[in-house]
């Protein structure tokens, strides 16, 4: 019995010794490879940014990469969207920054090694990366990228922030229209809401929020050009602003207060105070219990108030001009965002008539 136990111990010692030798040999090989790697200074994982030094580097926005910058060397920062290693000597990957994407290629060459290509192909999706490269004209239109006429020939790539290898939600799944659910994986609404931070990164959500911001921008621009003054009204008030029971009651120190259902009272105060034309953009709260999908208890209201001089048609003229200005501005300045939204949520182009 003792002989068997001693034999097992000897066998374990032998194995552990062999493992240690193999580990040292493997480490030595890695060191040799690193020493022979001609590109070892052109890729890797960056140390944690702690504002210890200023980097003399200008980062170009992905959305600004176009044919005017062809054959120039640029640095870009974005998330690794998708990657595809075609051979041991070449890897394609897409860089995504906010609403824009561009294709990048890293290929073995005089200053780029196989180890660098492997490093690039192993970067996890959604990692933040810094990439340097020459912008080249794409041989064919790249349908999968917003910057479809150019591509980036990579010379350096560094990981700024590494993402987890396994994410709870894939951006591709969150971007697919429901019509493709039978053939491909499409993220459910609950999954998107449970992982909202990742869901917000999709090109569709980026576009939706830009269109929303555009509506507010155009609303303000149109009214400002007509002499309106923007005002900011209280949202915590001492009584219901529109009567009825549809109001949120909140604790306010030793008493109670209510969330404003409307800025109406304050707009009217401004008109009586000789402002003549005012508008406000802000939150509105309605405590109306409902199970409908479209019902909102909190929303952003765009409110206008003017002093009528002779006829209420003065108000109608302003409203008609306001809406057409917003619609025209969206068509002119946010066409690509609207088209991106339509890819996931198909709809007919919006048509409208201009007031006579």
């Amino acid at each position: 019995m003792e002989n068997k136990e001693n034999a097992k111990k000897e066998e374990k010692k032998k194995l552990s010794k062999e493992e240690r030798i193999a580990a040292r040999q493997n480490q030595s090989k890695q060191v040799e490879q690193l020493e022979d790697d001609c590109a070892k200074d052109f890729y890797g994982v960056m140390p944690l940014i702690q504002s210890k030094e200023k980097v003399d580097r200008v980062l170009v926005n992905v959305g600004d990469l176009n044919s005017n910058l062809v054959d120039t060397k640029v640095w870009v920062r974005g998330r690794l969207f998708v990657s595809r290693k075609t051979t041991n000597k070449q890897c394609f990957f897409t860089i995504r920054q906010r609403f824009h994407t561009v294709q990048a290629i890293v290929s073995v060459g005089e200053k780029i090694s196989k180890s660098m290509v492997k490093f690039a192909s192993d970067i996890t999706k959604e990692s933040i990366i810094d990439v340097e490269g020459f912008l080249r004209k794409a041989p064919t239109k790249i349908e999968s990228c917003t910057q479809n006429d150019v591509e980036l020939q990579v010379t350096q790539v560094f990981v700024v922030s590494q993402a987890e290898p396994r994410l709870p939600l894939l951006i591709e799944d969150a971007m697919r229209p429901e019509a493709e659910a039978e053939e491909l994986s499409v993220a459910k609404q609950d999954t998107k809401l449970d992982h909202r931070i990742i869901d917000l990164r999709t090109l569709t959500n980026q576009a939706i929020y830009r269109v929303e911001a555009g509506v507010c921008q155009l609303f303000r621009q149109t009214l400002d050009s007509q002499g309106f003054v923007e005002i900011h009204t209280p949202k915590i008030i001492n009584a219901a602003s529109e009567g009825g029971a549809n109001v949120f009651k909140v604790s306010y120190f030793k008493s109670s207060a209510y969330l404003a259902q409307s800025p109406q009272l304050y707009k009217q105060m401004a008109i009586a105070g000789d402002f003549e034309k005012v508008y406000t953009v802000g939150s509105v709260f309605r405590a109306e219990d409902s199970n409908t999908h479209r019902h909102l208890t909190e929303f952003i209201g765009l409110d206008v108030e003017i002093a009528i001089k002779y006829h209420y048609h003065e108000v109608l003229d302003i409203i008609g001009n306001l809406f057409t200005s917003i619609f025209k501005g969206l068509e002119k300045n946010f066409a690509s965002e609207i088209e991106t939204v339509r890819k996931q949520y198909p709809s007919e182009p919006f048509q409208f008539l201009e007031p006579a």
Side-chain angles (χ1 to χ4, degrees), residues 21-48:
I21 292 171
R24 281 198 296 270
Q25 289 175 344
N26 186 42
Q27 189 175 6
S28 299
K29 286 181 181 178
Q30 289 179 350
V31 171
E32 288 174 7
Q33 288 175 356
L34 189 63
E35 289 174 350
D36 296 336
D37 188 355
C38 62
K40 61 184 178 181
D41 296 328
F42 304 141
Y43 68 94
V45 179
M46 287 175 57
L48 181 66

Side-chain angles (χ1 to χ4, degrees), residues 89-124:
K89 296 183 178 181
Q90 190 176 67
C91 175
F92 292 82
F93 58 91
T94 302
I95 304 167
R96 189 187 75 248
Q97 184 193 28
R98 295 177 299 207
F99 174 69
H100 301 97
T101 54
V102 67
Q103 178 175 276
I105 307 170
V106 56
S107 304
V108 171
E110 185 179 344
K111 294 184 178 180
I112 296 178
S113 63
K114 287 185 178 180
S115 297
M116 181 172 172
V117 174
K118 184 179 186 305
F119 174 82
S121 66
D122 289 342
I123 298 174
T124 52

Side-chain angles (χ1 to χ4, degrees), residues 55-186:
V55 179
D56 185 18
R57 179 184 300 168
V58 177
L59 295 171
V60 179
N61 289 326
V62 170
D64 294 333
L65 299 178
N66 54 48
S67 55
N68 295 328
L69 295 177
V70 166
D71 295 332
T72 60
K73 184 181 281 189
V74 296
W75 275 98
V76 298
R77 172 173 293 184
R79 290 188 183 273
L80 189 138
F81 188 22
V82 291
S83 64
R84 178 170 54 91
K85 187 179 179 182
T86 54
T87 66
N88 290 334
K89 296 183 178 181
Q90 190 176 67
C91 175
F92 292 82
F93 58 91
T94 302
I95 304 167
R96 189 187 75 248
Q97 184 193 28
R98 295 177 299 207
F99 174 69
H100 301 97
T101 54
V102 67
Q103 178 175 276
I105 307 170
V106 56
S107 304
V108 171
E110 185 179 344
K111 294 184 178 180
I112 296 178
S113 63
K114 287 185 178 180
S115 297
M116 181 172 172
V117 174
K118 184 179 186 305
F119 174 82
S121 66
D122 289 342
I123 298 174
T124 52
K125 289 183 179 181
E126 294 304 295
S127 294
I128 298 175
I129 55 177
D130 275 3
V131 179
E132 182 201 53
F134 287 97
L135 197 66
R136 306 297 189 194
K137 186 173 178 59
T140 58
K141 190 175 181 180
I142 305 170
E143 298 291 346
S144 59
C145 294
T146 61
Q147 314 310 105
N148 52 32
D149 59 343
V150 292
E151 60 185 14
L152 200 60
Q153 297 284 347
V154 177
T155 54
Q156 297 190 62
V157 56
F158 293 94
V159 175
V160 179
S161 180
Q162 186 89 25
E164 292 292 331
R166 187 178 178 84
L167 297 172
L169 174 66
L170 293 178
I171 300 294
E172 306 96 292
D173 295 347
M175 287 174 54
R176 289 194 183 101
E178 292 183 3
E180 297 181 9
E182 294 183 2
E183 300 177 359
L184 299 168
S185 176
V186 176

Side-chain angles (χ1 to χ4, degrees), residues 178-195:
E178 292 183 3
E180 297 181 9
E182 294 183 2
E183 300 177 359
L184 299 168
S185 176
V186 176
K188 301 295 183 183
Q189 183 75 354
D190 288 345
T191 304
K192 293 180 181 180
L193 293 176
D194 287 341
H195 307 285

Side-chain angles (χ1 to χ4, degrees), residues 201-218:
R201 297 176 190 170
T202 65
L203 299 185
T204 306
N205 275 323
Q206 292 282 323
I208 288 172
Y209 277 90
R210 278 160 176 72
V211 172
E212 181 183 311
V215 170
C216 294
Q217 178 190 4
L218 293 163

